[in-house]
Amino acid sequence: MRIESSRRLIDTVAWVLIEDGRILCARPDGKDEFYIPGGKREGEETDRQTLTREISEELTVVLIPESIAHVGTYEAELPGATEVSVRMSCYTADYAGTIEPSSEIAEIAWFSYADRAAVPPVDQVLFDDLVARGLLPAH
């Protein structure tokens, strides 16, 4: 007998940009919480296609395709939603242009590990992994 899981998965991709010991986060318009920039794929988009589209739409920069590198894939439950998890495939990449919040982003901020509690659980898992790997300072 096979039991179907009722757990729903939200599949996203995100851009990990660390500068001066801080990681770039964005607060979408109409939301109170900051997130690692990125979003959900449209149709049959690959991770890379989704990442470059979302970052261009959110932060008005162009990612350099040959520099895109997978950091890791993280998963955590969505707060306040039973049986819903978020999976976030994270990538680093060089970029061209100046980072500016688009009309769908209310503000951007550079978070240190001390700001970990201000981001959603899946982002916290990323923060923890980056610290464990020595990519983000723990202080």
Side-chain angles (χ1 to χ4, degrees):
M1 182 168 118
R2 187 178 151 148
I3 299 173
E4 293 293 324
S5 172
S6 60
R7 179 167 289 291
R8 188 169 69 97
L9 180 67
I10 299 170
D11 188 28
T12 66
V13 298
W15 183 37
V16 175
L17 180 62
I18 300 171
E19 292 183 0
D20 300 322
R22 295 181 177 273
I23 188 167
L24 179 65
C25 293
R27 184 175 62 80
D29 193 39
K31 305 250 178 161
D32 295 327
E33 201 164 32
F34 280 85
Y35 301 84
I36 301 299
K40 297 180 226 169
R41 73 185 81 249
E42 293 180 357
E44 298 298 314
E45 282 182 327
T46 65
D47 281 6
R48 285 172 176 255
Q49 290 167 331
T50 303
L51 184 69
T52 55
R53 177 185 51 76
E54 284 285 347
I55 298 310
S56 174
E57 288 174 2
E58 291 182 0
L59 302 172
T60 69
V61 295
V62 176
L63 298 183
I64 310 300
E66 59 272 10
S67 72
I68 296 173
H70 188 248
V71 173
T73 300
Y74 308 93
E75 195 168 319
E77 287 189 7
L78 186 65
T82 58
E83 299 298 318
V84 180
S85 291
V86 176
R87 178 189 306 142
M88 184 171 68
S89 299
C90 297
Y91 296 85
T92 57
D94 295 331
Y95 65 95
T98 302
I99 295 173
E100 297 283 342
S102 72
S103 61
E104 63 185 61
I105 299 297
E107 72 182 296
I108 58 173
W110 293 90
F111 282 10
S112 70
Y113 188 69
D115 300 305
R116 177 187 179 276
V119 297
V122 72
D123 294 32
Q124 292 178 17
V125 175
L126 166 67
F127 275 45
D128 293 344
D129 184 53
L130 294 172
V131 167
R133 294 166 56 186
L135 300 172
L136 184 67
H139 51 278

